[in-house]
Amino acid sequence: MKKKNIVLLVLLGVIFIVALMITPKKSYLKDGGTVMHESLFTGIYKVYDYHAMMAGEREFLVGRTVEIFGKEVYNDTKIVKYE
């Protein structure tokens, strides 16, 4: 009976730790509106970057980027001209 309880506690502990590692943390960059949702294994970025281009130009970056285990798997970021 005691061995069963120890195995159950270890299993619940492992599940709790994994849940903490995959839960995303929301943060913001000071580049005009980029929002980052990052966890230990994944990162999802909503890019809205006014400062990407040179001063005087009216262009900026817009799009989304997804990373899994540090490798970029999706990127639809593009340059948009503001008129």
Side-chain angles (χ1 to χ4, degrees), residues 10-24 39-42 69:
V10 169
L11 183 62
L12 288 174
V14 168
I15 290 171
F16 179 73
I17 290 171
V18 169
L20 286 177
M21 290 174 20
I22 64 172
T23 304
S39 69
L40 188 61
F41 301 125
T42 62
F69 293 110

Side-chain angles (χ1 to χ4, degrees), residues 52-66:
M53 304 299 144
M54 298 180 65
E57 293 183 7
R58 297 177 63 92
E59 297 177 338
F60 52 94
L61 294 174
V62 175
R64 294 185 191 277
T65 303
V66 177

Side-chain angles (χ1 to χ4, degrees), residues 26 28 30 32 62-63 66 71 76 78:
K26 188 175 186 179
Y28 301 93
K30 294 181 180 181
V62 175
V66 177
K71 303 284 183 183
D76 75 343
K78 58 187 172 268

Side-chain angles (χ1 to χ4, degrees), residues 6-7 9 13 15 19 28-29 33 50-51 57 59 65 67 69 72:
I6 291 173
V7 170
L9 285 175
I15 290 171
Y28 301 93
L29 295 180
Y50 285 115
H51 306 297
E57 293 183 7
E59 297 177 338
T65 303
E67 292 180 358
F69 293 110
E72 188 175 275

